[in-house]
Amino acid sequence: MDYIINGIIEALKLLVSFNRELYEIIFLSVFVSSTATLISSIIFIPLGLYLGIKNFKGKKLFSRLLYTLMSIPSVVVGLLVAILLSRRGPLGFLELLYTPTAMIIAQSLLVTPLSLGLSYNLSKNRGKKIERVGITLGARGVKIIFLLIRELKIDLFINLVTVFSRAISEVGAVMIVGGNIKNRTRVITTSIAMFNSMGNYSTAIALGLVLLAISFIINSLIYSYHQEDY
Amino acid sequence: MEIKIKNLKKYYNDKLVLKIEELHIEKRKITGIIGPNGAGKTTLLRIISGLDEDFSGRITYDNSTLNNNIYDNMTLVFQKPYLFRRSVYDNIAYPLKIRKKNKAEIDKRVSEMLNRLQIYNLKNEKAHLLSGGESQKVALARALIFKPKLVMLDEPTSNIDPESIKTIEKEIKNYNSNEKATIIIITHNLEQAKRLCDNTIYLENGRVNRINGFL
Ligand SMILES: Nc1ncnc2c1ncn2[C@@H]1O[C@H](COP(=O)(O)OP(=O)(O)O)[C@@H](O)[C@H]1O
Ligand SMILES: [Mg+2]
């Protein structure tokens, strides 16, 4: 039992002493995952909203495919990106494997179906009604999409946070394309796995606490945002 | 805007809900549509407003078929209006904003409209939290603010207080004469139809049963 308590105490010490390596890992995690979230959201939230209100052939099949892709395992995405970026792969000349850029690419790909699927679903359920009102007031095309974004902004914000949470908590993709290289591609999840296997529990616990804190902050944000509007 | 309907047929999963051989709606007049529940009144307005394009037959607006210019000049207020999650002011300003009007003009027109419908005091309230009568007034204000030439109203005064009904009726009359607009109003209230309408259409089982003379 002692080593758990010691681990927690040591972890807190590392955190309050602003241990440099620890904070670099945290910073890279947040940077990679928020960039991936933004990249996937900018294109795929509007697209999801549009497809949700649009009637097209094969919409049912599209929904099913999308839901399948939403739960794609992160290691599969990691493997795919690693193959593409490996030296002999089609994008090997970019020399991106084992860089933060590769991690951003992998996470963007990983969360894109989620970004698309969540906004698609939202718009499929609630968008038609808003679109109809927009049309009766003279809005068309891109103005309808802007109207949807504004009307559904609370839910979209929650979706955004869900996407970020998925990104920052995954291990598989960043491990494979990043390689968990010291001072370069180490993020919270890959470090926890590594420190744990090295028996360095205090650092692993410290990072675990940070991950929990991030998710706590995010959820409080959602909550206060929700309150504000009602 | 004059509306001519010819051989209109509308089905909902094999069920014929509208069958109108010929119907003219006079320009600049207030036309009432009355009839029992399920007669097809709402369906008819949804078709005229262009929201439902799944029908057969021909509808012309001042002798042309539906195009963007007509879309820009007509509106429909739903029986249960959906107000945007923003202030009353921003709801009413929306049609002007998407038409790129400048701020001063928007401000002037929205304030006038708020006064006319006696909801100036609600200006900064969150629209989606208003009561039924208040919502109806805001929805009407939002629809009229861009001066559409054709206004369709689906039971705009059902389930609201007598004071609000008076205000709304007065505004419909005023708008019709000031803007020379064509208005179509669905109502269950025969007294209201008498008060407001130049023409009335009685719809039953998706068919036009009578025009005028029965009130
Ligand atoms: N979305 C729909 N799907 C199937 N049937 C519908 C739909 N909307 C309306 N109907 C049917 O069409 C008929 C006309 O409805 P509606 O136009 O709403 O009548 P009213 O407005 O006169 O009460 C009714 O029989 C109704 O059940
Ligand atoms: Mg109806």
Side-chain angles (χ1 to χ4, degrees), chain B residues 12-13 15 17 35-44 154-155 186:
Chain B
Y12 272 125
N13 331 304
K15 188 183 156 209
V17 293
N37 277 329
K41 306 182 294 296
T42 298
T43 307
L44 179 59
D154 194 346
E155 302 189 31
I186 297 177

Side-chain angles (χ1 to χ4, degrees), chain B residues 174-203:
Chain B
N174 279 342
Y175 186 81
N176 169 246
S177 51
N178 294 344
E179 301 299 330
K180 302 181 172 47
T182 307
I183 295 179
I184 310 174
I185 176 171
I186 297 177
T187 177
H188 270 299
N189 183 334
L190 293 184
E191 290 307 312
Q192 180 174 59
K194 274 187 201 165
R195 286 196 295 273
L196 283 180
C197 303
D198 304 303
N199 297 317
T200 41
I201 297 165
Y202 188 78
L203 205 63

Side-chain angles (χ1 to χ4, degrees), chain B residues 8 14 24 39-40 48-49 61 114-115 131-132 138 155 158 191 202:
Chain B
L8 171 66
D14 296 339
H24 287 195
I48 297 175
S49 69
Y61 309 75
L114 286 165
N115 280 322
S131 75
V138 175
E155 302 189 31
S158 53
E191 290 307 312
Y202 188 78

Side-chain angles (χ1 to χ4, degrees), chain B:
Chain B
M1 207 182 298
E2 180 185 35
I3 299 177
K4 290 184 189 159
I5 296 173
K6 253 197 144 88
N7 295 322
L8 171 66
K9 275 190 193 161
K10 164 74 187 173
Y11 289 89
Y12 272 125
N13 331 304
D14 296 339
K15 188 183 156 209
L16 182 65
V17 293
L18 274 182
K19 185 172 188 292
I20 299 177
E21 267 131 50
E22 184 137 26
L23 181 64
H24 287 195
I25 290 173
E26 273 185 275
K27 169 184 250 174
R28 299 182 180 183
K29 296 274 169 72
I30 302 181
T31 299
I33 302 179
I34 57 178
N37 277 329
K41 306 182 294 296
T42 298
T43 307
L44 179 59
L45 284 202
R46 285 172 55 100
I47 288 174
I48 297 175
S49 69
L51 287 177
D52 185 348
E53 295 172 310
D54 181 25
F55 64 91
S56 67
R58 188 178 161 80
I59 302 178
T60 57
Y61 309 75
D62 281 342
N63 295 320
S64 65
T65 52
L66 192 55
N67 58 44
N68 279 354
N69 184 39
I70 293 163
Y71 263 118
D72 267 342
N73 279 297
M74 69 176 173
T75 194
L76 164 64
V77 180
F78 300 93
Q79 185 175 357
K80 291 205 185 82
Y82 174 92
L83 297 179
F84 302 137
R85 304 181 144 269
R86 34 184 122 170
S87 70
V88 166
Y89 180 96
D90 285 341
N91 263 275
I92 301 172
Y94 178 78
L96 298 178
K97 272 193 189 137
I98 59 173
R99 285 171 178 76
K100 306 250 158 32
K101 302 288 181 210
N102 69 51
K103 205 174 166 314
E105 184 184 349
I106 293 178
D107 218 45
K108 184 167 157 275
R109 281 168 68 173
V110 173
S111 298
E112 273 174 27
M113 186 61 87
L114 286 165
N115 280 322
R116 285 222 298 275
L117 284 162
Q118 296 172 20
I119 46 174
Y120 197 89
N121 57 319
L122 302 175
K123 189 178 170 193
N124 298 315
E125 298 292 315
K126 283 176 182 162
H128 57 282
L129 304 178
L130 298 178
S131 75
E134 292 165 342
S135 304
Q136 280 293 358
K137 287 191 219 167
V138 175
L140 184 65
R142 184 177 65 180
L144 300 183
I145 194 81
F146 65 98
K147 301 190 194 297
K149 286 289 169 213
L150 170 62
V151 178
M152 290 162 273
L153 306 168
D154 194 346
E155 302 189 31
T157 60
S158 53
N159 305 321
I160 66 176
D161 59 289
E163 247 342 277
S164 298
I165 295 180
K166 253 191 186 165
T167 313
I168 288 177
E169 286 185 0
K170 196 170 138 211
E171 182 53 29
I172 293 173
K173 276 257 179 219
N174 279 342
Y175 186 81
N176 169 246
S177 51
N178 294 344
E179 301 299 330
K180 302 181 172 47
T182 307
I183 295 179
I184 310 174
I185 176 171
I186 297 177
T187 177
H188 270 299
N189 183 334
L190 293 184
E191 290 307 312
Q192 180 174 59
K194 274 187 201 165
R195 286 196 295 273
L196 283 180
C197 303
D198 304 303
N199 297 317
T200 41
I201 297 165
Y202 188 78
L203 205 63
E204 196 170 13
N205 280 325
R207 288 160 178 83
V208 174
N209 205 319
R210 260 175 299 180
I211 299 179
N212 294 343
F214 55 88
L215 288 177

